[in-house]
Amino acid sequence: MATAFYLPKTVKEACALLGEWGERVVITNGGTDIVIEIGKGRLVPEANVCIRNIEELHAIRQEGEFLSIGGAATFDEMLASPLVKAFPGMIEAAGVIGSPAIRAMGTLAGNICTAAPAPDGCTMAMGLDARVVLRSAAGERTVPLSEMLLGRGKTARRGDELLTQILLPLSKTACAYQRLARRQAQDIAKVMVGASLETCGGVITAAAVALGAVNAVPCRAPSVEEMLVGKPAAEGLEAVRDFFPPEAKLRPSPFREYKQQVLPTLLFRTLEQAAERGGGR
């Protein structure tokens, strides 16, 4: 059976198509992940709604207390945006994704909706306490990114919904992203950490820490966040030195011992860099 292909030009048109096809449809922009699944026969959609021609979904703009990244904005568009450059951790994460060709086609929204174990952009966005906006023909809702990923390949997005925006709090610019991989380019990381800190008078007032490649999907690390908040930056960093967050539930694998050993150091270094960027170290 042939797959129906649609190329809508507006969000309204796209949402109408999603409402019509429901769970039988896939959404693509660059298709850097989903086309592989289709090619291997693991996914056989009845319809494909490609959103790359929806101009408003490529917008990157400030909306009140947030930076809004459109659902079709590519990583290259993010890397070129002066607004995104205010978030050095996001620039670091976007800059190591795949290859130049992947960054030219792939999107942060796709990185999130794929719900894979080790997505660089999604992990950093979670470390920024990001929110996602989901729109359908019936209305719109906003979901914390930490509640979006339900399991490998599973998200809170309904079949009739389109992820139209990722919202990054403008208060989270003191941020950092680090990963460990066998190669510097075109390799999936074995451990990744995205973090952001807010400080006042040298004291950490808020923290968001996300871990990638240690669970079925990226996760927040509230155990680390609680150890940091309310302490002077230097004291908070020392409190988490050599700490292995219990949220990292490592599955049996050849890399389990390696991850167990390196995660505390990577976590400390990422937080240290975020603190330096916030003037708290």
Side-chain angles (χ1 to χ4, degrees), residues 53-265:
N53 283 359
I54 303 178
E55 188 173 344
E56 66 182 283
L57 292 184
H58 288 270
I60 299 175
R61 60 181 182 271
Q62 182 176 340
E63 288 192 2
E65 298 178 352
F66 296 91
L67 173 64
S68 169
I69 298 174
T74 66
F75 289 114
D76 270 359
E77 290 171 331
M78 290 172 58
L79 288 167
S81 168
L83 295 174
V84 179
K85 288 177 181 177
F87 295 85
M90 183 55 75
I91 294 296
E92 289 160 348
V96 297
I97 290 174
S99 64
I102 294 295
R103 294 191 290 272
M105 298 293 290
T107 66
L108 179 57
N111 206 233
I112 291 169
C113 289
T114 300
D120 295 277
C122 176
T123 300
M124 185 63 245
M126 192 176 290
L128 292 168
D129 197 21
R131 307 172 190 180
V132 298
V133 179
L134 301 171
R135 191 184 303 181
S136 69
E140 184 177 273
R141 63 188 178 117
T142 301
V143 179
L145 180 53
S146 58
E147 299 176 11
M148 178 69 169
L149 308 180
L150 305 181
R152 186 163 187 169
K154 299 179 181 179
T155 72
R157 185 187 70 84
R158 300 192 306 264
D160 65 338
E161 291 181 317
L162 176 65
L163 196 164
T164 56
Q165 295 172 276
I166 301 98
L167 302 176
L168 308 182
L170 294 174
S171 61
K172 302 292 186 181
T173 53
C175 58
Y177 178 78
Q178 294 196 28
R179 74 200 301 261
L180 289 174
R182 287 175 292 182
R183 300 192 307 269
Q184 289 188 344
Q186 299 190 52
D187 196 9
I188 297 174
K190 294 293 177 280
V191 184
M192 49 182 64
V193 178
S196 60
L197 300 174
E198 295 179 52
T199 59
C200 181
V203 174
I204 299 172
T205 57
V209 179
L211 312 173
V214 295
N215 284 331
V217 291
C219 66
R220 285 281 289 270
S223 64
V224 178
E225 297 166 1
E226 292 168 5
M227 294 172 69
L228 294 167
V229 174
K231 295 184 177 70
E235 182 182 334
L237 287 173
E238 287 304 315
V240 300
R241 187 190 290 271
D242 301 323
F243 179 68
F244 186 90
E247 293 84 2
K249 304 183 186 303
L250 303 178
R251 65 180 179 85
S253 80
F255 297 100
R256 180 171 182 167
E257 184 177 351
Y258 170 77
K259 294 184 181 189
Q260 185 90 33
Q261 292 176 352
V262 303
L263 178 55
T265 299

